[in-house]
């Protein structure tokens, strides 16, 4: 059985029911909107985020979920989908998971409006049902994700990212949504309990490890077999490069920054930067940091009694670290 299927197994029934509820949550009286949302739903990814919501809810709720759990999972998926549609517009990206993106097929104006629609549907789903505690969790996540993106854009212009700033960016950009999934799962079944904050921290640790793993893919992996250098081409300062810059001589530092700033489209120069980072401990440092965050996530999980839901969450943590893409 594939690892994702193993993770999903204890909540397979809930995920099936969730899919139906999620499609209903997206529905509109506008034919064009329904056509686009149908297109989006049929090209869904692994749906890790709703899985986090249900696994955490069942671990904390002794195997039980409620209507709030389904609404929490739907809200997170609506908001996440909205951010992906908007991201493709911002990045001028024409593909998403191997298919054409919404903006490629229906142009930017419609894509932005569809993203806005999904965002408002998510917020109204919470408001209409009085789930104000869930709404607060998701609203904080949306604010932090926007701040993270803007902070990254601001820093990319000057390439003056320290490790602290890097962690601030990835915590907001990536980790905050996974943290929201986990705290939503806890809040849905046990509102106001210490589990809500504990699970938020758990999700944040996984989210940070997830992003560091993504950063490492830029330096090559077994599946691709060669480095991609995409982050360097896009002038993104990731942990392996930041650490290498911190320990580099003045001359090497100047060469590295100049390479990323002015020669980021030169394949030969990008390869030289990748080799320099590899040879100066940048990758080992980032791998160690990733495992440290994994261990912190596991420490939090270990405070809960054993269950099939806890085991699935442990598998999820390992999957984040071991995935090949």
């Amino acid at each position: 059985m594939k690892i994702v299927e193993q993770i999903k197994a204890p909540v397979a029934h809930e995920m099936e029911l969730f899919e139906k509820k999620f499609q209903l949550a997206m529905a509109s009286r506008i034919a064009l909107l329904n056509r686009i949302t149908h297109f989006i739903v049929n090209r869904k990814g692994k749906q890790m985020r709703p899985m986090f919501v249900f696994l955490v809810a069942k671990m904390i709720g002794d195997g039980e979920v409620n209507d709030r759990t389904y609404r929490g999972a739907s809200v997170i998926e609506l908001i996440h989908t909205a951010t992906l549609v908007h991201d493709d517009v911002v990045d001028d990206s024409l593909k998403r998971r191997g298919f054409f993106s919404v903006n490629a097929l229906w142009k930017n104006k419609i894509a932005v409006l569809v993203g806005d629609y999904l965002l408002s549907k998510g917020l109204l789903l919470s408001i209409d049902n009085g789930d104000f505690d869930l709404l607060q969790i998701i609203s904080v996540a949306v604010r932090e994700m926007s701040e993270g993106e803007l902070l990254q854009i601001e820093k990319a212009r000057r390439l003056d990212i320290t490790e602290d700033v890097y962690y601030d960016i990835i915590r907001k950009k990536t980790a905050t949504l996974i943290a929201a999934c986990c705290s939503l799962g806890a809040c849905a079944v046990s509102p106001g309990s210490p589990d809500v904050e504990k699970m938020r921290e758990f999700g944040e640790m996984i989210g940070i490890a997830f992003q560091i793993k993504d950063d490492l893919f830029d330096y090559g992996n077994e599946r691709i077999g060669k480095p991609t250098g995409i982050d360097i081409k896009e002038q993104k300062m990731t942990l392996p490069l930041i650490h290498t810059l911190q320990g580099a001589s003045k001359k090497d530092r100047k060469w590295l920054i100049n390479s990323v700033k002015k020669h980021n489209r030169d394949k030969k120069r990008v390869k030289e930067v990748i080799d320099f980072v590899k040879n100066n401990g940048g990758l080992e440092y980032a791998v160690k940091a990733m495992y440290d965050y994994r261990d912190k996530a596991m420490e939090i999980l270990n405070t809960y009694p054993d269950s099939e839901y806890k085991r699935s969450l442990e598998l999820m943590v390992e999957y984040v670290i071991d995935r090949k893409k």
Side-chain angles (χ1 to χ4, degrees):
M1 199 194 296
K2 279 186 176 175
I3 181 101
V4 176
E5 293 305 313
Q6 268 180 277
I7 293 165
K8 193 179 181 175
V11 291
H13 170 70
E14 286 79 8
M15 288 296 291
E16 214 172 292
L17 190 52
F18 157 75
E19 294 221 1
K20 291 171 188 160
K21 287 178 182 275
F22 180 60
Q23 287 186 25
L24 284 174
M26 276 183 148
S28 159
R29 288 199 298 264
I30 312 293
L32 174 62
L33 254 175
N34 283 333
R35 213 158 52 240
I36 297 170
T37 54
H38 181 74
F39 171 82
I40 291 168
V41 166
N42 284 343
R43 280 147 193 81
K44 62 184 182 295
K46 297 185 187 77
Q47 292 191 304
M48 289 298 193
R49 287 155 192 85
M51 255 187 260
F52 269 122
V53 175
F54 289 116
L55 286 169
V56 168
K58 291 190 94 171
M59 180 179 78
I60 285 161
D62 295 324
E64 297 297 318
V65 296
N66 53 25
D67 284 343
R68 271 164 57 87
T69 318
Y70 285 99
R71 288 198 296 271
S74 292
V75 168
I76 209 93
E77 198 66 352
L78 282 163
I79 303 291
H80 174 58
T81 308
T83 61
L84 293 183
V85 173
H86 281 165
D87 280 352
D88 287 339
V89 175
V90 170
D91 298 337
D92 214 7
S93 176
L94 301 179
K95 287 283 180 81
R96 165 73 58 185
R97 298 190 186 111
F99 296 97
F100 284 116
S101 58
V102 174
N103 51 299
L105 293 172
W106 285 281
K107 303 291 180 266
N108 285 349
K109 186 176 182 178
I110 288 175
V112 170
L113 292 169
V114 167
D116 291 347
Y117 170 77
L118 295 172
L119 191 63
S120 65
K121 285 291 269 191
L123 301 179
L124 283 167
L125 185 61
S126 296
I127 292 165
D128 290 346
N129 290 282
D131 299 328
F132 298 110
D133 49 354
L134 304 186
L135 182 60
Q136 185 179 17
I137 290 169
I138 198 67
S139 299
V140 168
V142 172
R143 183 197 70 201
E144 295 224 311
M145 285 157 68
S146 307
E147 283 180 354
E149 286 285 358
L150 288 163
L151 180 59
Q152 186 172 50
I153 291 165
E154 179 195 350
K155 293 295 179 183
R157 287 173 179 168
R158 295 203 300 270
L159 299 185
D160 60 347
I161 295 184
T162 62
E163 225 172 283
D164 286 347
V165 172
Y166 165 81
Y167 279 117
D168 198 21
I169 289 169
I170 68 166
R171 187 183 60 75
K172 287 180 168 170
K173 248 189 76 174
T174 305
T176 194
L177 194 64
I178 298 173
C181 296
C182 297
S183 57
L184 273 177
C187 191
V189 294
S190 185
S193 71
D195 293 314
V196 179
E197 174 56 21
K198 255 171 93 172
M199 284 293 103
R200 188 200 67 76
E201 280 180 37
F202 167 72
E204 189 173 281
M205 296 303 112
I206 295 182
I208 291 171
F210 181 94
Q211 187 56 57
I212 296 172
K213 177 72 173 182
D214 259 13
D215 293 351
L216 288 164
F217 283 142
D218 211 42
Y219 294 86
N221 69 12
E222 301 91 333
R223 196 181 66 89
I224 297 166
K226 64 179 191 295
T228 63
I230 289 167
D231 287 338
I232 294 166
K233 284 174 198 143
E234 292 178 358
Q235 299 187 332
K236 282 182 187 161
M237 300 289 279
T238 59
L239 191 57
L241 183 57
I242 292 164
H243 177 72
T244 305
L245 276 167
Q246 283 172 347
S249 66
K250 201 173 175 182
K251 184 186 165 201
D252 286 337
R253 189 182 164 82
K254 192 179 171 185
W255 174 80
L256 281 166
I257 288 175
N258 193 35
S259 300
V260 177
K261 256 188 178 170
K262 295 178 180 168
H263 303 279
N264 55 323
R265 298 281 161 190
D266 179 340
K267 281 185 184 173
K268 184 171 173 284
R269 188 76 167 254
V270 168
K271 190 185 178 305
E272 285 169 4
V273 170
I274 287 170
D275 289 341
F276 188 90
V277 171
K278 281 181 173 176
N279 296 333
N280 286 273
L283 292 198
E284 289 94 331
Y285 181 80
V287 167
K288 184 186 178 302
M290 178 179 72
Y291 282 120
D292 286 347
Y293 280 100
R294 179 206 59 183
D295 293 346
K296 285 174 190 170
M298 288 296 201
E299 273 171 36
I300 295 168
L301 266 189
N302 287 336
T303 63
Y304 290 92
D306 187 41
S307 68
E308 58 182 325
Y309 317 112
K310 178 186 169 181
R311 288 195 294 276
S312 265
L313 286 166
E314 287 169 345
L315 265 180
M316 185 83 96
V317 177
E318 292 301 342
Y319 171 72
V320 161
I321 300 295
D322 296 334
R323 66 201 165 96
K324 299 290 183 276
K325 60 178 177 176

